[in-house]
């Protein structure tokens, strides 16, 4: 059911950076408030490209290297034993405002292209909660991502004490609910044939980060 009143976290003009500890923190949307929002329209399969071969990776690189900013995220096969170390990421996603590319890392050509994009100093990669991704990428691909912006830090600098993540950020910026499938989250991302649900899930994680960054960039540019 849609909210009948405007939630408190939407009653704001985009704040200045929180410059001192005396400034109050901004309230974050609760799970209940987010659940009451209309869903955000997601990127469909027509605008998602799955990349699993060297040739596809080369074509994707030619399209993506022209971008100054890309939405970014990774997916890994989940681990269920405490001492088990993830062998991921198995999937790496990059997105422009209109098209997402889902790279499967079974192919050496895909790994090389993903590494090149991550190392590029001319492309800013934006996403949420990326610290864990960095560790896995370094272990799996042997590269340290450059020019990466964690949007959680941007929101923290603007006055949000609680880490928003993509769901909270979409609620704050667009007043919409970002749909995430729990089943897809815990699915086997190492499979060579991804399901439609996995493709849409992974692509939209990167796409939503790009949408949030674009909206913030426009808004902050006006302050």
């Amino acid at each position: 059911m849609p909210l009948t009143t405007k939630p408190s976290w939407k009653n704001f003009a985009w704040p200045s950076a929180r410059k001192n500890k005396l400034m109050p923190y901004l309230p974050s949307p609760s799970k209940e408030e987010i659940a009451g929002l209309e869903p955000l329209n997601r990127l469909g399969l027509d605008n998602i490209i799955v990349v699993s071969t060297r040739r596809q990776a080369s074509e994707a690189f030619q399209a993506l290297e022209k971008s100054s900013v890309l939405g970014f995220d990774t997916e890994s096969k989940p681990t269920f034993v405490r001492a088990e170390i993830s062998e991921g990421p198995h999937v790496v996603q990059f997105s422009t405002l209109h098209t997402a590319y889902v790279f499967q890392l079974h192919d050496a050509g895909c790994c090389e292209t993903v590494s090149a994009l991550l190392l590029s100093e001319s492309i800013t990669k934006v996403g949420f909660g990326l610290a864990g991704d960095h560790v896995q990428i370094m272990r799996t691909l042997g590269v340290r991502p450059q020019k990466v912006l964690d949007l959680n830090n941007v929101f923290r600098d603007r006055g949000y004490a609680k880490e928003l993540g993509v769901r909270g950020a979409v609620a704050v910026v667009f007043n919409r609910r970002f749909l995430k499938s729990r089943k897809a989250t815990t699915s086997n991302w190492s499979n060579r044939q991804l399901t439609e649900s996995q493709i849409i899930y992974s692509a939209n994680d990167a796409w939503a980060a790009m949408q949030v960054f674009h909206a913030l960039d426009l808004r902050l540019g006006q302050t």
Side-chain angles (χ1 to χ4, degrees):
M1 181 188 304
L3 296 178
T4 56
T5 59
K6 194 175 184 181
S8 60
W9 44 268
K10 290 298 293 181
N11 298 329
F12 72 95
W14 189 249
S16 301
R18 189 173 184 273
K19 297 179 180 179
N20 62 69
K21 295 182 179 179
L22 297 179
M23 292 178 65
Y25 284 109
L26 294 168
S28 302
S30 67
K31 291 182 179 180
E32 292 74 22
E33 287 172 323
I34 293 175
L37 298 175
E38 294 294 329
L40 179 74
N41 290 331
R42 296 190 297 173
L43 202 65
L45 288 173
D46 290 345
N47 297 104
I48 301 172
I49 298 173
V50 178
V51 183
S52 58
T53 68
R54 181 178 292 274
R55 180 177 178 178
Q56 291 171 342
S58 177
E59 293 172 353
F61 183 78
Q62 291 178 37
L64 292 170
E65 68 172 339
K66 304 170 186 176
S67 302
S68 59
V69 182
L70 291 172
F72 164 61
D73 199 15
T74 71
E75 308 296 342
S76 300
K77 177 184 177 181
T79 58
F80 299 101
V81 180
R82 180 173 297 180
E84 184 179 0
I85 297 176
S86 172
E87 296 178 353
H90 298 96
V91 172
V92 176
Q93 311 94 269
F94 297 100
S95 183
T96 68
L97 282 171
H98 307 292
T99 306
Y101 294 77
V102 178
F103 288 81
Q104 294 185 268
L105 301 187
H106 301 295
D107 181 85
C110 291
C111 293
E112 292 166 9
T113 296
V114 167
S115 296
L117 290 169
L118 291 174
L119 289 171
S120 174
E121 293 278 1
S122 64
I123 304 173
T124 300
K125 280 71 69 173
V126 300
F128 291 91
L130 299 175
D133 300 77
H134 285 206
V135 173
Q136 290 188 329
I137 287 168
M138 187 64 189
R139 184 172 58 238
T140 301
L141 297 176
V143 300
R144 189 179 302 278
Q146 303 299 311
K147 290 292 291 291
V148 176
L149 175 63
D150 193 323
L151 293 172
N152 281 331
N153 296 333
V154 175
F155 281 96
R156 186 178 298 111
D157 289 343
R158 309 313 293 188
Y160 288 87
K162 182 180 177 182
E163 189 171 283
L164 290 181
V166 64
R167 285 175 171 169
V170 166
V172 166
V173 175
F174 299 114
N175 199 28
R176 289 291 185 270
R177 171 168 48 94
F178 182 63
L179 301 173
K180 286 179 73 75
S181 165
R182 175 67 178 173
K183 183 177 180 180
T185 303
T186 58
S187 61
N188 187 354
W189 292 98
S190 67
N191 285 336
R192 289 184 175 271
Q193 184 68 44
L194 296 177
T195 66
E196 180 177 312
S197 176
Q198 286 178 311
I199 293 169
I200 291 175
Y201 175 99
S202 57
N204 277 279
D205 268 354
W207 177 79
M210 185 63 187
Q211 296 297 321
V212 169
F213 173 84
H214 181 66
L216 295 186
D217 191 45
L218 291 177
R219 188 173 296 178
L220 293 176
Q222 298 171 357
T223 60

